[in-house]
Amino acid sequence: MKRRLVLAALSALSLTSLMGCPSATQTPPDSGGATTAAPTTTASGEVKVDGSSTVLPISEAIAEEFKKENASLNVSVGKSGTGGGFKKFIAKEIDIADASRPIEQKEIDAAKAAGVEFVELPVAYDGLSVVVNPKNTWAASLTTDELKKIWAGDSKLASWKDVRAGFPDKPIKLYGPGTDSGTFDYFTEAICGKKGDSRADYTASEDDNTLVTGVAGDEGALGYFGIAYFEENKDKLKLLGIDGGKGVVVPTPITIASGEYKPLSRPLFIYVNISALDKPEVASFVSFYLKNARDLVKAAGYVPLPDSAYALIEKRLEARKTGSVFAGKEAVGVKLEDLLTKESQ
């Protein structure tokens, strides 16, 4: 399970990685570098988080560590999918929405109509991983055109032989996120050319572990989800390289962070209700989230942003900068650091 993976990785982190938290204290240099445990805050109450199943492992990891130092606080983390999370966020049912894509204009408009202002905080990079069953010996990579042929809304493709000459005549069984998923939105836009343009005859689930199980149990299976779920289950799955027109690229921390893994590299986000930031427990949790993101994002199986990007994002939070840097822009292929730098200037 993802939780076991994250907790095992977290156990290796030193306490010094948490010293960025406002509640943390560090002894003076003449103490020989020893540190003392961070005191708990005086805040109490509940922080409510919901949304993307992709971002879920990160938020769970953050919540686990945060509660160690803030025992009086309860942090609940759900997984309704990015779209489902935004619905709850706009209805003021939660404080923070986890999202695996930028907020859409229709959601921005709905939030405005509901009187909800938000701060958009990118927290990590992900590479959407296209996977097959390990018994698949014929495919080591696919082109984006082949993926479109498989997944497009009007596709009737049913056999691997129809994907590429030389592939066997074996039934192809598809697994992917449901329509409330930000991963679904991003993949369909990046691969099929239009958000939501996907065939409907596939096994859909908002639970990525369900998709893993499906692909792992079917020789002809093909599926896609965030890189962390492949890393956790690499003994059960086979990862495909993707050729976006400039040669085959496999998702790795380097190719994802650089954007070389095109067009399936993407940023992950949390969105915070600006009114919720007036609650000490929410403000403390979000500050902790950003200050400890680098180590905990990596522990959750994703790719940290550059330090320079986290610095700009912390400034967004401090200034309570509302709105989205992606408003009016296509999410696919846009460089996050460029948008943040332009905004800061």
Side-chain angles (χ1 to χ4, degrees):
M1 294 294 292
K2 172 58 63 179
R3 179 177 290 274
R4 290 200 297 270
L5 176 68
V6 171
L7 292 181
L10 288 177
S11 67
L13 293 175
S14 67
L15 181 62
T16 54
S17 70
L18 302 180
M19 290 298 101
C21 175
S23 63
T25 58
Q26 188 168 5
T27 55
D30 61 2
S31 66
T35 57
T36 58
T40 58
T41 70
T42 57
S44 61
E46 182 177 18
V47 180
K48 296 180 180 179
V49 186
D50 205 329
S52 167
S53 63
T54 302
V55 185
L56 174 76
I58 303 174
S59 290
E60 283 188 328
I62 296 285
E64 289 285 347
E65 289 302 300
F66 181 74
K67 287 190 286 188
K68 289 178 182 178
E69 306 302 333
N70 299 274
S72 62
L73 295 180
N74 179 44
V75 182
S76 62
V77 184
K79 55 175 180 179
S80 300
T82 295
F86 276 134
K87 289 173 185 175
K88 292 183 178 182
F89 186 71
I90 292 165
K92 304 177 185 178
E93 296 174 9
I94 58 175
D95 305 301
I96 299 167
D98 287 343
S100 59
R101 59 158 172 81
I103 190 169
E104 296 177 350
Q105 188 59 50
K106 64 182 180 181
E107 292 162 337
I108 294 173
D109 294 341
K112 183 177 181 180
V116 174
E117 292 187 284
F118 59 85
V119 182
E120 176 185 72
L121 302 172
V123 294
Y125 284 130
D126 178 31
L128 289 187
S129 301
V130 181
V131 299
V132 294
N133 187 279
K135 293 181 180 178
N136 180 324
T137 59
W138 55 91
S141 65
L142 292 173
T143 68
T144 50
D145 286 342
E146 287 169 339
L147 282 174
K148 182 176 182 179
K149 184 173 16 173
I150 294 168
W151 281 99
D154 59 355
S155 175
K156 302 297 182 184
L157 188 149
S159 174
W160 278 99
K161 72 179 178 63
D162 297 321
V163 177
R164 183 187 300 176
F167 282 0
D169 187 10
K170 288 183 177 289
I172 190 167
K173 181 68 178 294
L174 300 176
Y175 295 84
T179 56
D180 259 348
S181 168
T183 298
F184 170 87
D185 291 334
Y186 193 92
F187 183 88
T188 53
E189 183 175 5
I191 297 301
C192 301
K194 181 180 178 183
K195 195 172 293 183
D197 180 21
S198 173
R199 61 192 297 172
D201 57 337
Y202 71 97
T203 300
S205 177
E206 305 298 345
D207 186 341
D208 295 281
N209 288 306
T210 299
L211 304 179
V212 168
T213 301
V215 176
D218 190 328
E219 182 179 350
L222 173 79
Y224 67 92
F225 36 71
I227 187 67
Y229 287 91
F230 166 73
E231 289 295 336
E232 183 188 3
N233 297 281
K234 60 173 59 178
D235 58 328
K236 307 173 186 175
L237 304 168
K238 176 181 172 181
L239 180 66
L240 299 185
I242 302 300
D243 186 347
K246 295 185 177 181
V248 175
V249 180
V250 176
T252 68
I254 292 174
T255 62
I256 291 170
S258 68
E260 182 184 356
Y261 182 60
K262 294 180 179 179
L264 296 179
S265 294
R266 60 174 178 170
L268 304 177
F269 306 83
I270 61 172
Y271 287 80
V272 187
N273 185 320
I274 200 165
S275 296
L277 284 172
D278 291 332
K279 298 189 290 186
E281 60 269 28
V282 175
S284 180
F285 176 73
V286 175
S287 178
F288 183 94
Y289 203 125
L290 294 185
K291 290 184 181 298
N292 296 283
R294 172 169 285 281
D295 286 328
L296 299 181
V297 161
K298 190 179 295 185
Y302 293 102
V303 180
L305 305 177
D307 289 340
S308 57
Y310 282 125
L312 291 173
I313 293 159
E314 286 192 55
K315 288 182 179 179
R316 288 193 109 237
L317 177 61
E318 291 168 4
R320 297 197 177 190
K321 177 71 175 179
T322 58
S324 172
V325 295
F326 287 86
K329 302 178 179 66
E330 293 291 333
V332 176
V334 175
K335 190 73 172 176
L336 173 63
E337 293 97 310
D338 292 344
L339 295 178
L340 292 171
T341 300
K342 183 176 181 180
E343 179 188 67
S344 69
Q345 296 171 344

